[in-house]
Amino acid sequence: MRRRTPGPAGWLALTAVAALLLGFTYVVGVFSGGHEIDETCAAAGWTYDERYRAEHWRDQRRLFPLHERCNAHDDLVPPWVNPALVVLFVALAGCAGAAGWTAITRVRAKRGKS
């Protein structure tokens, strides 16, 4: 029995799922610091180091990797967010590539049959 692989529509559906999960994970990371960072750090039980944040202000503004540090050791962004972003981006790219590949191979196969 031949194993059936997903067609372009199936791969596009997986691409959409990966994109939604990627977006959700990014939003979780971006908004993990809250509105008042010093209050959020205190609520988490960590010391807010204003001098450290002033010296490392670029770390807080990067698109990737996401960080919202209270001090040199404590980060409000959950530790699973950055690895999940990498895995989901690779999955998204792979599924999109597979969708394109299967679409091209099906068109070529249909042309060969005609």
Side-chain angles (χ1 to χ4, degrees):
M1 180 166 24
R2 185 174 168 199
R3 187 174 173 188
R4 183 165 154 74
T5 58
W11 286 113
L12 281 176
L14 291 172
T15 302
V17 169
L20 287 172
L21 290 172
L22 180 67
F24 174 76
T25 305
Y26 196 79
V27 167
V28 167
V30 166
F31 292 109
S32 62
H35 182 63
E36 296 291 332
I37 189 70
D38 53 344
E39 292 175 9
T40 308
C41 291
W46 295 329
T47 306
Y48 177 74
D49 187 350
E50 191 172 335
R51 196 169 102 198
Y52 174 83
R53 286 186 55 89
E55 290 174 8
H56 296 90
W57 62 272
R58 286 189 181 123
D59 291 347
Q60 318 307 322
R61 304 291 181 242
R62 284 192 206 161
L63 295 176
F64 183 81
L66 296 175
H67 291 291
E68 192 65 58
R69 297 184 192 273
C70 294
N71 54 50
H73 306 288
D74 301 314
D75 194 353
L76 292 170
V77 175
W80 59 268
V81 168
N82 288 315
L85 289 173
V86 171
V87 169
L88 289 168
F89 181 78
V90 169
L92 185 141
C95 290
W101 180 260
T102 55
I104 290 169
T105 56
R106 285 190 180 189
V107 166
R108 287 182 180 168
K110 284 183 181 180
R111 284 185 185 167
K113 289 182 181 179
S114 298

